[in-house]
Amino acid sequence: MNTREPYYITESKRMCIEAGMDPNEVSRPKNFLNEVEFEKKRKSYSEILSVVSFFSNKLLDSLKGTPILVVVSDATGFLLGIEGDETIKSTIEQFGIRPASLFIQEDTGTNVISLSLQQKHPISLIGEQHYHTFLHGIACYGTAFHYTDDNNLLGSVCLMMPIQFQNALFLTMLTQAVDSIERELLLRKQNKKLNIMNQIMLSRTRNGIVITDEKGITTEFNSFAQKISNNSRDSVVGRNIRESYLTGEYFKEVLEQERIFNNEEIKFKDDAGNLIVCLFDAQPIYEEDKMIGAFGQFRDISDRYILQEKYNYLAYHDDLTNLPNRRYINKEIESIIKDLNAGHHRTLALLYIDLDRFKIINDNFNHSYGDKLLIEVSKRLCGCLGEKDILARMGGDEFIFILKDFVDLDYVTKKAEEILQLVRQPFHVSGKELHTTASIGVAIYPDYPITMEQLMVYADNAMYQAKSQGKNRYVVHTSELLDAMMDEYMLEVDLRRALEKNEFVLHYQPQINNDTGKLVGFEALIRWQHPTLGQIPPGKFIKLAEENGLITQIGEWVIDEACSQNKKWQDAGMIPVKMSVNLSTQQFLTGNLIPFMEEVLERTAIDPAYVVVEITEYMAMEYEYSIHVLEQLKALGIGISIDDFGTGYSSLNYLKNFPIDYIKIDRSFVSGLMNNEEDAIIVKAIITLAHNLHKEVIAEGVETKEQLDFLKNHQCDISQGYFFSKPLPADEIEKIYLEQHRA
């Protein structure tokens, strides 16, 4: 089990040491709010504190019998409230931990309140993780809370208890409580905004407003009331509202019985004979408890009413995006198929869309970012709807287009290409730039009858095929595709057993220094030795592993095996060389990568200077996360290479700021060196750019002497490819290189 303390705790302790704090002396808060300031602060936080107190008390009730405190601070670290065990409360007051005290690291050293406010995630601070020894008997859990709509920090909620009662479950319970607090605060904030908007919009509302005096004489009839009812203001103001054939009876009861009406449905025809449907509200108006008139308003819901009558709107639309949902789509498809089966001339196609990388975005930010991204995607997709097209959200990150009554089949594929292009463009969500792509399955209704379920399965299968072929593309369903999907399903079943049956092997491709011609490294490449199908190359199963969640386990096996093998060769007397391993996107973005690499380095005893991890530009798109992880890898002594450079989301910002050692020129550029001037220009530019930024360049896919000579002439540092050697198993590597390259 990895027991390394988090980096932010280590950094906090370092600050304490640099500040000259004595860990054996009690360090008390130095700043306190006076009584007036404290009451003013609590008053400004009164609503927030009431919400926090409600959920904190629920948490305390669930933990009855456990000596525990709930401590609440504002965004700067002033303690606003302490609830819970009285014995602990009186104990900590001796250390200055009481309401109105300010907790900052400069005064009190490493503490859960300061760290909770600094970090973007829940934290624990237990025992000796505290800098001061007088706190070593305490276990603390804390997290900040915000207004989640604008990420505005409000304060922190922390749990404190004797260390013998520590339990990781408390952090989960605290996180759940803070989620509830944030939702309630956001709801209240939104309700306040709504109330303010209601006051502003009363005079500028798009609802029809009618106001009378206490006798029922109409005194106000706004422009929208005129528009809705087709009655002019002059014809209504001054008349008794009881005379109205539409609302007279309602106002009569309001004025005589002080009744209140809400959402009364009123229907009438306008001059053109169109049905108008309104929701009508009416209530008395009071001044100092005396009724002085009546207020009524019309809300025109004609369009919504028609939709509700035809489709039962609320049951057929998605709550998040307001797009039609699966039920709506199924009904629409069935209707079109019914027409087709009846002999009507209609055309029908489905585009089943699944966002690539959505789970990664959700896992590395949070679900609110994911929801906002889905809303932005739906808006963008709506922008490419044709006149007869329908867009729906099927659930999660899946959308579907119904294309109907089109003339030319080209319309279907052009629409798929248009969608791919739209989704490739970056999305801006809450100040962050998010990148995604789409995999699209296309199913065209054939010239023979099939069911709605079959058509949906065809589209779904084609979409999964698009993912397996590398994502960011569309695939059209064919009968051959259906057979391939069955083969792939059987392969997936075997893949789940491959790790436990030790069916994976590594092959190693040499990397040669272009100046000296000497071996400088290997790239480890996985192969699957299938018991019946023979050796399966990675292109056949890596995408499958990414889809079913096995890729991280497989990637960890590759790293472990490659490092172990390299150390064996070194121990056998081979001159040490670097071993490169490829990281998958899921593996790079998991929070466990750094601890895993530390464990492998320690267990295999390999010098990290001989380990290189390869990432793609695609992985590095989440800039802040990527630079943090890469700097941690670099701190371990591991080399870093950008693989397939020039084929992804290229950014000079990556090269400038990321701690990269190597840039690998993609084989697609190397293969065109001798017959494609543009490829040659790109290769020269990459080499020049990399050298100016003090990075080494590796060219992969070198197959001819002419390609190698070109690379040498333009100072490319390292080459690998079939010109030197294909990837070889470990025993063949030993035969060729072990004796030649002994230390």
Side-chain angles (χ1 to χ4, degrees), residues 174-216:
L174 177 62
T175 302
Q176 292 172 343
V178 169
D179 283 345
S180 300
I181 289 167
E182 290 182 333
R183 283 196 296 271
E184 178 64 21
L185 289 174
L186 181 60
L187 180 62
R188 293 193 181 195
K189 182 180 180 182
Q190 291 171 337
N191 286 340
K192 282 182 182 178
K193 289 181 179 179
L194 184 61
N195 289 335
I196 292 169
M197 290 301 297
N198 284 340
Q199 295 176 44
I200 295 171
M201 293 302 291
L202 186 60
S203 61
R204 302 181 63 185
T205 180
R206 298 184 66 82
N207 295 337
I209 302 295
V210 183
I211 299 175
T212 76
D213 64 14
E214 72 277 10
K215 296 177 182 179

Side-chain angles (χ1 to χ4, degrees), residues 296-313:
Q297 71 171 346
F298 300 88
R299 283 167 284 147
D300 187 350
I301 61 163
S302 302
D303 292 340
R304 190 177 77 187
Y305 177 84
I306 293 168
L307 283 173
Q308 285 175 327
E309 286 292 295
K310 189 174 183 180
Y311 303 115
N312 192 357
Y313 184 87

Side-chain angles (χ1 to χ4, degrees), residues 79-142:
L79 298 195
L80 301 180
I82 302 177
E83 302 288 343
D85 187 87
E86 292 297 327
T87 302
I88 303 178
K89 193 186 297 185
S90 62
T91 300
I92 66 171
E93 283 180 356
Q94 302 173 26
F95 304 139
I97 304 176
R98 61 178 178 80
S101 58
L102 175 64
F103 267 73
I104 56 175
Q105 292 186 89
E106 291 81 357
D107 294 343
T108 57
T110 304
N111 67 87
V112 70
I113 296 161
S114 298
L115 293 176
S116 295
L117 293 171
Q118 291 171 5
Q119 300 304 309
K120 296 180 180 179
H121 54 79
I123 70 160
S124 58
L125 190 62
I126 299 171
E128 294 181 2
Q129 290 181 333
H130 292 90
Y131 178 73
H132 288 95
T133 55
F134 73 92
L135 294 173
H136 285 181
I138 296 177
C140 300
Y141 304 93

